[in-house]
């Protein structure tokens, strides 16, 4: 039975795993003020960043999907891991040797499935790389040399060679302690009659890494064309490898993509290598599948793809019919980007690798520099299928291209491309062309579907909710500023159930006297006692920035506390006035006078609170 990771080691993993660094490996973070960082959420689609990280407290929270937590929670959610697997993953990254309770530590025994598979793939990558220098791999070295790659280039990208044997890798890994079941589950081997057999044999092999740099699969190229099997063979779907989410080269390109606000999408492993070696380190490629929605999510987070951004996504396709078809597939997903999308096509049909060989690295850079907008390329590709020298051909081309223009969401851009379409077809009748596009856009299939977005959080535009929110943020982040006044308010001062529940949680934890000056220990203490339903609320209030400068926080805290009391007092006054209206001042004189006295006292209290609240 697996042991339990010691609490001291879990705390050490958190301490040595800076949340800004871990999150920053997956999304681009920018300064959001108040010590906070902000980026696009990796857990739901969004157009503007609502994912916040507070490095000083070690927590993250998304205001779009209301999810949050610490660095371990982030890794768990992102990688779909158990708690123990996430801790092990972070421990490996930080070089921490974990200790296990309840039976002691046995190397490898307590590791989760994902950690075991990661280790197996790392060992496999080392095995393949070591074999590239052997005599049997001469054909693989020749392949690389003919494409302009030197030994140092192969080492940089981890290129290796899979021996033309049935069980070379399987024997090697099983001798290292991995089981046949693990090799099959990870896609490194297949079931044979007498045990596992290698999936890749006699092929040049590229390790495919995730965004953090872990090897999660391989792409293999056939070297002997006479042999059976596909030219390219990839790792099958596994617990590690999801081809719809994988981008080859993303581990090497991620920082440059964020820095340059540019991503170049190419079609093959050698194209990625050629681009990087030609001074285009933002190049990535899909692995055995078309570019799709999950790939877009990865790039949007790195590009910080939001309204007003100046980023670029550049697709490179062959100039033949297949390349045009691929471009049109990309067009279907183009508008999931906020940033601009382009297409770069070499007229003679050369891909980046071939272009580098024949014309040099400058030609690869020139190819990307010659990009044209994807909308224009898609429209021109459709037009090219028709004979536009005849009226019939022009009309057919218009009907074929009109749906592309009609699908452009930006109204002004749609208008401009309508004008271009008229010019490219030679009608010289913009009204006729625009009317035709309008007919297409009016069809039901062209109408945008209502998005089913993430769960909404409380309406922060409501003044009462905003005040409750600010007071609770102070209680979580700066409890010393609101002191006994907060403890005396009572849960009934909060209108939202989750706010009242958080207030009760704080009181159960000892209130503001037990919180001291707040900080991470106070947040950890609250989270240790919280229910799952309230965990996100605590994390959110630990991360969200206060609406006050540091210099005025004390005055702001006093004003917010007074404002919250003012809401409660105002509510009590309204209830008292309603009760007085139902009380007869003649027949129920004693009750009426008592209520009137209470009303005078509350009105006086409201005036005082108004003055204090004005300090906000």
């Amino acid at each position: 039975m697996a042991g339990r990771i010691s609490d001291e080691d879990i705390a050490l993993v958190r301490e040595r795993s800076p949340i800004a660094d871990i999150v920053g490996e997956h999304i681009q973070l920018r300064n959001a003020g108040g010590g906070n960082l902000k980026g696009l959420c990796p857990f739901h689609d969004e157009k503007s960043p609502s994912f916040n990280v507070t490095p000083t407290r070690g927590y993250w929270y998304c205001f779009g999907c209301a999810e949050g937590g610490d660095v371990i929670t982030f890794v768990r959610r992102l990688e779909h891991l158990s708690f123990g697997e996430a801790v092990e993953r972070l421990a490996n990254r930080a070089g921490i040797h974990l200790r296990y309770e309840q039976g002691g530590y046995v190397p490898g025994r307590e590791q989760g499935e994902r950690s075991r598979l990661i280790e197996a793939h790392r060992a496999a990558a080392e095995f393949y790389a070591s074999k590239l220098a052997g005599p049997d791999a001469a054909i693989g070295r020749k392949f690389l040399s003919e494409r302009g790659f030197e030994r140092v280039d192969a080492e940089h990208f981890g290129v290796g060679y899979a021996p033309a044997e049935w069980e070379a890798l399987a024997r090697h890994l099983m001798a290292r302690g991995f089981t046949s079941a693990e090799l099959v589950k990870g896609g490194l081997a297949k079931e044979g009659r007498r045990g596992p057999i290698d999936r890749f044999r006699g092929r040049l092999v590229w390790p495919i890494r995730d965004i953090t740099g872990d090897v999660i699969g391989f792409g293999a190229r056939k070297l002997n064309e006479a042999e059976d099997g596909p030219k390219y063979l990839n790792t099958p779907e596994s617990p590690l490898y999801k081809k719809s989410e994988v981008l080859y080269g993303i581990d090497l390109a991620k920082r440059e993509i964020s820095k340059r606000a540019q991503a170049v999408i190419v079609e093959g492993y050698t194209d990625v290598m050629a681009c990087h070696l030609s001074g285009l380190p933002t190049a990535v490629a899909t692995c055995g599948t078309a570019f799709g929605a999950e790939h877009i999510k990865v790039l949007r987070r790195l590009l910080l793809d939001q309204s007003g951004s100046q980023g670029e996504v550049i697709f490179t396709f062959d100039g033949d019919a297949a390349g045009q078809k691929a471009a049109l597939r990309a067009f279907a997903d183009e508008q999931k980007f906020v940033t601009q999308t382009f297409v770069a096509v070499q007229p003679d049909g050369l891909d980046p690798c071939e272009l580098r060989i024949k014309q040099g690295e400058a030609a690869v850079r020139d190819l990307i520099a010659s990009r044209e907008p994807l909308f224009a390329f898609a429209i021109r590709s459709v037009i090219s299928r028709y004979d536009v020298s005849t009226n019939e051909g022009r009309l057919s081309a218009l009907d074929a291209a009109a749906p592309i223009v009609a699908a452009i969401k930006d109204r002004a851009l749609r208008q401009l491309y309508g004008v271009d379409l008229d010019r490219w077809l030679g009608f010289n009748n913009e009204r006729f062309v625009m009317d035709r596009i309008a007919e297409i856009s009016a069809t039901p299939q062209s109408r945008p579907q209502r998005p089913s977005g993430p769960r909404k959080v409380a309406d922060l535009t409501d003044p009462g909710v905003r005040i409750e929110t600010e007071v609770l943020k102070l209680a979580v982040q700066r409890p010393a500023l609101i002191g006994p006044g907060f403890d005396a308010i009572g849960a009934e001062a909060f209108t939202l159930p989750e706010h009242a529940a958080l207030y009760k949680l704080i009181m159960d934890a000892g209130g503001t006297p037990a919180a001291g000056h707040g900080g991470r220990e106070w947040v950890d203490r609250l989270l240790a006692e919280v229910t799952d339903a309230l965990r996100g609320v605590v994390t959110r209030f630990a991360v969200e920035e206060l609406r006050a400068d540091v210099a005025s926080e004390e005055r702001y805290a006093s004003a917010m506390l007074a404002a919250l009391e003012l809401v409660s007092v105002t509510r009590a006054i309204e209830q008292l006035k309603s009760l007085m209206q139902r009380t007869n001042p003649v027949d129920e004189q004693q009750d009426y006078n008592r209520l009137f006295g209470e009303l005078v006292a509350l009105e006086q209290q409201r005036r005082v609170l108004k003055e204090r609240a004005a300090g906000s």
Side-chain angles (χ1 to χ4, degrees):
M1 182 177 177
R4 177 178 177 272
I5 303 172
S6 71
D7 291 340
E8 293 83 359
D9 284 355
I10 293 173
L12 185 62
V13 166
R14 285 195 178 102
E15 179 185 331
R16 294 189 185 175
S17 303
I19 193 164
D21 293 350
I22 303 300
V23 174
E25 291 182 347
H26 300 272
I27 66 177
Q28 184 184 164
L29 294 172
R30 290 184 180 169
N31 193 338
N36 280 12
L37 302 171
K38 182 178 285 189
L40 290 174
C41 180
F43 305 122
H44 80 281
D45 288 331
E46 58 180 5
K47 293 296 185 183
S48 57
S50 59
F51 185 92
N52 284 250
V53 176
T54 304
T56 56
R57 285 183 287 276
Y59 287 98
W60 59 273
Y61 185 83
C62 176
F63 293 93
C65 62
E67 296 285 348
D70 63 4
V71 66
I72 297 174
T73 311
F74 178 81
V75 173
R76 287 187 69 183
R77 283 289 318 276
L78 195 73
E79 304 289 350
H80 307 290
L81 306 176
S82 67
F83 179 84
E85 288 174 331
V87 173
E88 287 170 347
R89 185 168 175 80
L90 289 168
N92 288 337
R93 183 185 184 278
I96 297 171
H97 180 80
L98 295 176
R99 294 166 295 172
Y100 294 78
E101 299 171 350
Q102 299 176 2
Y105 174 70
V106 178
R109 189 186 70 188
E110 292 86 358
Q111 289 182 318
E113 177 187 87
R114 182 183 174 87
S115 297
R116 291 282 294 170
L117 295 181
I118 288 288
E119 286 297 323
H121 279 74
R122 181 183 295 123
E126 292 171 356
F127 173 81
Y128 289 139
S130 69
K131 295 299 180 182
L132 186 60
D136 294 342
I139 187 174
R141 296 194 296 274
K142 180 183 177 184
F143 176 94
L144 292 172
S145 178
E146 289 174 346
R147 284 154 183 78
F149 302 121
E150 300 176 359
R151 179 177 177 179
V152 66
D153 302 327
E155 290 174 353
H156 178 68
F157 290 93
V159 184
Y161 174 73
E165 303 174 28
W166 288 100
E167 304 163 354
L169 177 66
R171 283 197 309 269
H172 175 77
L173 293 181
M174 291 174 73
R176 297 275 297 270
F178 296 100
T179 67
S180 60
E182 288 173 330
L183 302 189
V184 172
K185 191 161 194 175
L188 295 168
K190 298 183 289 186
E191 286 285 6
R193 295 183 200 172
R194 298 177 185 149
I197 58 174
D198 295 353
R199 180 170 294 276
F200 307 117
R201 300 186 300 278
R203 289 175 176 264
L204 205 59
V205 177
W206 284 263
I208 299 170
R209 296 182 171 90
D210 65 13
I211 199 167
T212 67
D214 283 334
V215 180
I216 57 174
F218 295 91
R221 210 278 190 190
K222 182 168 63 174
L223 296 172
N224 187 345
E225 300 299 335
E227 290 183 359
D228 293 334
K231 179 185 287 188
Y232 282 97
L233 185 63
N234 287 76
T235 293
E237 293 281 309
S238 76
L240 298 182
Y241 186 82
K242 312 292 183 188
K243 65 181 180 181
S244 63
E245 303 172 5
V246 173
L247 287 168
Y248 174 73
I250 194 69
D251 58 308
L252 299 173
K254 62 183 179 183
R255 297 199 184 281
E256 289 298 324
I257 289 173
S258 295
K259 179 181 175 182
R260 303 187 185 199
Q262 179 199 75
V264 176
I265 316 300
V266 297
E267 293 193 313
Y269 308 126
T270 56
D271 292 332
V272 171
M273 294 173 69
C275 284
H276 281 242
L277 295 173
S278 299
L280 295 168
T282 61
V284 294
T286 58
C287 302
T289 186
F291 187 83
E294 295 303 316
H295 301 123
I296 290 173
K297 290 178 184 178
V298 174
L299 292 180
R300 289 196 67 236
R301 296 195 295 267
L302 291 175
L303 290 164
L304 194 55
D305 184 36
Q306 60 178 316
S307 179
S309 65
Q310 299 298 311
E312 296 181 342
V313 176
I314 304 167
F315 295 91
T316 63
F317 299 109
D318 294 340
D320 57 14
Q324 292 185 2
K325 185 177 180 182
L328 292 175
R329 280 201 307 268
F331 171 83
D333 283 324
E334 191 277 344
Q335 292 175 97
K336 293 179 181 176
F337 285 108
V338 177
T339 194
Q340 285 186 284
T341 51
F342 297 86
V343 172
V345 176
Q346 183 68 13
D348 54 15
L350 297 177
D351 60 35
C353 182
E354 295 166 335
L355 187 60
R356 178 173 175 262
I357 296 168
K358 295 185 177 181
Q359 299 181 30
E361 294 178 352
V364 179
R365 295 192 295 272
D366 290 343
L367 167 64
I368 302 305
S370 68
R371 64 200 179 279
E372 68 172 315
L374 181 56
F375 285 133
F377 180 82
I379 295 168
R380 286 178 181 272
S381 295
V382 169
I383 292 174
S384 67
R385 301 172 190 168
Y386 299 89
D387 179 7
V388 295
S389 65
T390 67
N391 288 332
E392 292 80 2
R394 286 203 301 274
L395 189 59
S396 295
L398 172 59
D399 286 349
I404 297 177
V405 181
I408 299 175
K409 294 179 181 178
D410 187 300
R411 184 176 178 181
L413 196 59
R414 187 167 65 243
Q415 177 79 23
L416 291 174
Y417 274 110
V419 173
D420 284 341
L421 180 58
D422 173 59
R423 178 166 52 86
W424 292 333
L425 291 175
F427 281 111
N428 295 320
N429 189 338
E430 291 178 11
R431 173 52 51 201
F432 170 71
V433 171
M434 295 307 299
D435 286 346
R436 190 65 177 163
I437 293 171
E439 288 178 27
I440 296 293
S441 62
T443 59
Q445 58 266 34
S446 299
R447 293 172 189 159
Q449 299 296 312
R450 181 177 296 176
S452 55
R455 177 169 61 91
K456 298 295 184 183
V457 294
D459 180 10
L460 298 182
T461 62
D462 182 284
V465 172
R466 186 179 76 84
I467 292 168
E468 292 179 23
T469 298
E470 290 301 298
V471 170
L472 287 171
K473 277 158 51 177
L474 286 161
V476 173
Q477 297 180 27
R478 304 297 303 277
L481 293 178
I482 53 177
F486 175 82
D487 297 346
I489 287 177
E492 62 275 5
F494 299 92
T495 57
L496 292 182
E498 60 265 34
H499 288 180
L502 177 54
Y503 178 86
K504 185 176 184 305
L505 174 69
I506 293 170
M507 292 298 101
D508 290 345
T512 54
H517 292 287
R520 175 157 191 164
E521 286 140 8
W522 172 235
V523 176
D524 286 345
R525 188 181 201 181
L526 294 175
L527 288 172
E529 304 295 329
V530 77
T531 62
D532 288 341
L534 201 57
R535 181 172 296 276
V537 180
V538 174
T539 309
R540 172 191 162 198
F541 288 150
V543 169
E544 186 174 352
E545 185 181 357
L546 291 170
R547 295 172 179 260
D549 297 330
V550 175
S552 61
E553 278 184 355
E554 189 170 349
R555 179 163 47 87
Y556 180 74
S558 175
M560 282 294 101
L561 205 55
L564 183 60
E565 291 182 73
L566 179 61
V567 171
S568 296
V569 169
T570 301
R571 193 183 305 124
I573 288 173
E574 291 171 354
Q575 292 172 348
L576 195 59
K577 285 181 176 179
S578 176
L579 182 58
M580 288 179 68
Q581 287 177 347
R582 300 193 301 272
T583 303
N584 189 313
V586 177
D587 298 338
E588 304 170 276
Q589 184 177 8
Q590 187 175 354
D591 289 339
Y592 188 87
N593 290 341
R594 176 178 57 78
L595 294 174
F596 183 76
E598 292 178 9
L599 179 63
V600 171
L602 287 173
E603 289 286 8
Q604 184 176 0
Q605 185 180 0
R606 180 161 70 171
R607 282 194 296 274
V608 173
L609 290 172
K610 272 186 175 180
E611 292 176 4
R612 283 173 50 200
S616 62

